[in-house]
Amino acid sequence: MRSALTLFKKNMQEAKDLTSLYEYLESNIKSPLSFDDLLRSQIVYSVSAFDKLIHDVIRIGMVQIFMGQRNPTPQYLAESISISAYNELINATVPPKEYIFEQAIIRKLKIIAYQDPKKVAEGLSYIWDEKQKWQKIAMKMAMNDKTAKTTLKLIVDRRNVIVHEADIDPLTNKKYSISKSECQSITDFLFKCGEEIVGLVNLTS
């Protein structure tokens, strides 16, 4: 899990660097152009980094279960794989079975976005047999689960408006306003949430 967390921190730092670039351009470049899209990009990249982390945590955890290094969860045991993947696993010598299993998991999960709180909880069920996942996560973040889930939903909604609707208000055909503080709050929340999830998942191993 440490490698997933390290990559997550790197990705989040790169997202945060966009605020630094925004501040520099705002202070030093005299232009009628707006640099607000850098802040919008930071939100998109932050959500993407969080999504990537959850995928990595699930993948690594499932491989650890496959190798006997973690206890299986009911969700893990109920998951199906294709007959072709099963045949590959049965006959595998090179590459090793765990590699083939990992590739099968990657193919299966790559079409799923782990951004919505419900989807995050469902994905973590493969490796974390905890009934009240968001209560545990929120407690570590010093908030209640309803607030944590609502905050994540609002962040994902904001990201979707940026990505799918060009962040444009359909009533005015102008872009929604965005601030540096809003952008930073989103990145900070996702960073803290991801970090706590990794810690909690490790506690169950």
Side-chain angles (χ1 to χ4, degrees):
M1 296 295 178
R2 293 296 110 190
S3 60
L5 183 58
T6 298
L7 179 58
F8 175 62
K9 289 180 176 180
K10 177 178 179 293
N11 289 337
M12 292 300 277
Q13 183 58 53
E14 289 176 353
K16 290 176 70 173
D17 287 344
L18 291 171
T19 291
S20 299
L21 178 58
Y22 169 83
E23 291 173 334
Y24 174 83
L25 293 173
E26 282 285 298
S27 299
N28 295 282
I29 306 298
K30 304 305 178 184
S31 169
L33 299 175
S34 170
F35 301 112
D36 287 356
D37 280 345
L38 287 169
L39 300 179
R40 294 184 177 91
S41 295
Q42 179 171 329
I43 292 174
V44 173
Y45 291 156
S46 296
V47 174
S48 178
F50 179 80
D51 191 344
K52 166 68 173 168
L53 173 71
I54 303 303
H55 273 89
D56 286 347
V57 166
I58 295 167
R59 171 182 54 81
I60 293 169
M62 291 183 75
V63 171
Q64 288 177 348
I65 293 172
F66 179 79
M67 297 177 67
Q69 298 170 353
R70 295 172 66 93
N71 293 327
T73 68
Q75 179 72 15
Y76 173 93
L77 294 173
E79 190 60 34
S80 61
I81 61 173
S82 67
I83 293 175
S84 62
Y86 173 78
N87 287 335
E88 283 187 77
L89 286 169
I90 290 296
N91 299 315
T93 52
V94 178
K97 286 180 170 62
E98 59 267 24
Y99 173 84
I100 294 172
F101 178 80
E102 183 175 30
Q103 294 306 303
I105 294 304
I106 290 172
R107 290 192 298 270
K108 190 172 189 67
L109 300 183
K110 69 179 181 181
I111 61 172
I112 303 173
Y114 288 117
Q115 301 171 4
D116 179 84
K118 184 177 179 181
K119 284 292 185 183
V120 171
E122 289 174 355
L124 291 175
S125 292
Y126 285 113
I127 63 170
W128 188 24
D129 189 21
E130 167 58 54
K131 303 301 182 187
Q132 304 297 331
K133 293 180 180 64
W134 276 105
Q135 286 187 12
K136 296 290 186 181
I137 296 166
M139 189 180 301
K140 287 288 187 178
M141 298 178 71
M143 59 178 64
N144 61 59
D145 60 320
K146 183 177 180 180
T147 300
K149 289 188 288 185
T150 299
T151 301
L152 182 55
K153 285 181 180 179
L154 291 173
I155 289 172
V156 173
D157 287 345
R158 187 74 168 98
R159 175 263 180 198
N160 289 342
V161 170
I162 293 170
V163 171
H164 301 298
E165 301 173 23
D167 208 25
I168 291 176
D169 184 338
L171 298 179
T172 64
N173 284 329
K174 295 181 179 179
K175 287 191 175 183
Y176 290 106
S177 63
I178 188 169
S179 67
K180 187 173 65 174
S181 60
E182 173 195 4
C183 182
Q184 196 60 51
S185 293
I186 287 173
T187 300
D188 289 345
F189 174 88
L190 291 172
F191 181 85
K192 182 65 173 172
C193 187
E195 194 173 41
E196 297 301 348
I197 286 172
V198 171
L200 286 165
V201 169
N202 276 340
L203 290 175
T204 67
S205 61

